[in-house]
Amino acid sequence: MTAVSPEQGMNDLKIDAASSAPKQNGATGPNVASGDLENGNSDDDEADEGDDAAGTAEGAAKKKKKRKPRKKKKAAGVAKGQTSPPTVKVSDLFPNDSYPIGEEVDYKNDNAFRTTSEEKRHLDRMNQDFLTEYRQAAEVHREVRKYAQKTIKPGMTLTEIAELIENGTRHLTGHMGLEEGDNLMAGVAFPTGLSLNHCAAHYTPNAGNKMVLKEEDVMKVDFGVHVNGRIVDSAWTMSFQPQYDNLLAAVKDATNTGVRLAGIDARMSEIGEGIQEAMESYEVTIKGETLPVKAIRNLNGHTIGHYSIHGGSAGKSVPIVKGGSNEKMEEGETYAIETFGSTGKGIVRDDMETSHYAKVADAPKVALRVASAKSLLRTIDKNFGTLPWCRRYLDRLGHEKYLLGLNNLVQAGVVQDYPPLCDIKGSYTAQYEHTILLRPNVKEVVSRGDDY
């Protein structure tokens, strides 16, 4: 029932004395039929009008008083929204760890039984903590990249872009990584890759880098998020001119093909063949020249292990061209399905200044004679473990004069360096990547979003 103000009630009574006052919060006005009252207003009528109007005002006031606490209760029950730039932890946005589930795809053919198998469902339920950590990391990735996609513009430096993504990741996981061991709990899983044009992967700016993103650039954005060592690795490509659209479409199609073909008992060779066929069905016209899109044959997808981006020594590779091994994917494995396309030769080589490093998981124990190497190794163990890192992260922790020690660790085989990987100059490369979980009863594309 609509509340009526005292002023409105008085006006209605003056216009039509035959009308009765409405009921307000249970207060009943005169219950009379039309024509029971004379047209003239008696003193009793005026008193009734005053009573009715007062009842109306009192009823309206009561309604207002009752509505206030209800509104407050409702507002308190609504989850806070994300800020811009993103700074609210996703654990605050999703109470009881109820993070969004990724894209679930039923197994087919010989593995179709898994969808309804009670045994497989039971095994899946036993992995709930494991799945929650992956989904939390995936939601962080989606929210950070959503902000990045609308914020990154030509004219920004690569350092600004990298810090935008990494700081967003740290805020949303709730781990800024400045205290010993904090980054090992959750946060940045590896350095943000911002590889331009002919450079396909493993480029992030070192301290002092002044490189600026230009409108004619094609930039691969590859970053990872982890929660308790459960790594979500996902990437996309940004361009600002429509002439590159077909290059990006080819690689996105190839990655989605790889995701579709992947699954328990899927053979690596068949996945690679499907990826190559999808990608190389495209061509792109750049600066008036029509070029084929080639799969970069010496880059691969890979397994993801606990605190290990490439699955460790037992890791598997997922080729993106035909002719790979007949090795099969297995239940319980996690994969990064990533594909790279190029307008160049379709082969990459080490080039440019190195920025990415990681401690070798099964590194030999060697006597380190350089003091700065010993100090640096302690910093690596306490802050990164076997997660990849870059020189900017050491600068951020306040570690100084480490280059001699870093080179010593690389030469000793304790730390592996990962130089940027580039095709020929003048070519353009693109990348798309998703993380998939081969659960016992269903395949989950955990990093899937509305964007790609």
Side-chain angles (χ1 to χ4, degrees), residues 80-90 93 143-144 146-148 150-151 167-168 171-172:
K80 293 186 292 183
Q82 189 53 264
T83 59
S84 183
T87 56
V88 180
K89 292 189 296 182
V90 295
L93 298 176
E143 293 191 21
V144 171
K146 179 180 179 181
Y147 177 72
K150 70 179 183 181
T151 304
N167 288 335
H171 277 106
L172 268 58

Side-chain angles (χ1 to χ4, degrees), residues 407-421:
N407 290 333
N408 184 252
L409 291 175
V410 171
Q411 291 167 3
V414 177
V415 167
Q416 177 67 55
D417 57 342
Y418 295 92
L421 301 170

Side-chain angles (χ1 to χ4, degrees), residues 174-247:
H175 293 272
M176 299 306 292
L178 290 172
E179 299 178 3
E180 284 186 1
D182 191 45
N183 189 66
L184 289 172
M185 297 172 67
V188 174
F190 54 82
T192 301
L194 299 172
S195 306
L196 298 179
N197 304 325
H198 72 290
C199 184
H202 292 173
Y203 186 89
T204 200
N206 285 322
N209 186 298
K210 304 296 183 185
M211 193 175 294
V212 174
L213 178 64
K214 301 182 182 68
E215 186 179 353
E216 61 270 23
D217 286 336
V218 176
M219 181 171 69
K220 281 67 62 184
V221 185
D222 187 355
F223 76 98
V225 182
H226 87 94
V227 175
N228 291 328
R230 307 300 180 184
I231 301 170
V232 169
D233 182 4
S234 188
W236 77 98
T237 299
M238 299 188 73
S239 67
F240 308 94
Q241 294 182 351
Q243 63 177 340
Y244 304 116
D245 287 354
N246 258 23
L247 172 62

Side-chain angles (χ1 to χ4, degrees), residues 4-7 9-10 13 19-24 26-30 42-60 62:
V4 180
S5 66
E7 293 79 8
M10 290 296 292
L13 288 168
S19 61
S20 60
K23 296 180 181 179
Q24 297 291 341
T28 307
S42 66
D43 291 342
D44 290 339
D45 294 334
E46 291 175 1
D48 289 342
E49 285 176 8
D51 291 343
D52 292 343
T56 302
E58 185 181 353
K62 285 180 180 178

Side-chain angles (χ1 to χ4, degrees), residues 117-134:
S117 168
E118 191 55 43
E119 178 188 355
K120 297 302 181 183
R121 288 183 179 181
H122 175 69
L123 286 173
D124 191 54
R125 287 192 293 270
M126 290 177 65
N127 291 331
Q128 202 55 50
D129 291 344
F130 163 96
L131 294 174
T132 297
E133 291 168 348
Y134 266 118

